[in-house]
């Protein structure tokens, strides 16, 4: 466990997962992080945008629970909780 603690630098694994997911959203064209509440994130998917493969992989293979999906003013909003 010492190696893991050294590699993470005091961060929890959940913090790392949230950070990775947030970074993926920020780097994905057409996606925007609009709200964060600890491990719950709200992502805006702009109109006429397709989510990239990295984002889809994170949704499919990470510890991500989709809490809500709704549309407003032509954009879609995805609320996820990362555990």
């Amino acid at each position: 466990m010492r190696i893991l603690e050294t590699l993470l630098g005091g961060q929890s694994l959940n913090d790392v997962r949230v950070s990775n997911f947030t970074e993926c959203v920020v780097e994905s064209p057409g996606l925007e992080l609009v709200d964060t509440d600890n491990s719950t994130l709200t992502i805006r998917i702009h109109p006429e945008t397709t989510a990239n493969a990295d984002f889809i992989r994170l949704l499919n293979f990470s510890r991500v629970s989709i809490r809500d999906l709704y549309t407003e003013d032509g954009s879609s909003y995805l609320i996820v909780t990362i555990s």
Side-chain angles (χ1 to χ4, degrees), residues 46-83:
H46 293 271
E48 300 179 21
T49 298
T50 58
N52 70 21
D54 291 335
F55 181 70
I56 298 298
R57 266 192 298 280
L58 274 177
L59 284 176
N60 286 333
F61 299 111
S62 297
R63 293 173 147 185
V64 177
S65 301
I66 297 175
R67 296 292 178 205
D68 197 8
L69 175 64
Y70 64 94
T71 59
E72 185 177 288
D73 298 327
S75 292
S76 298
Y77 291 84
L78 179 65
I79 300 174
V80 298
T81 300
I82 301 167
S83 57

Side-chain angles (χ1 to χ4, degrees), residues 7-39:
L7 288 173
L8 293 178
Q11 288 184 313
S12 70
L13 287 175
N14 192 55
D15 290 342
V16 172
R17 285 190 290 272
V18 170
S19 177
N20 287 342
F21 195 90
T22 300
E23 188 68 28
C24 183
V25 169
V26 168
E27 291 182 4
S28 297
L31 301 181
E32 176 184 356
L33 187 62
V34 292
D35 189 27
T36 59
D37 181 21
N38 295 325
S39 297

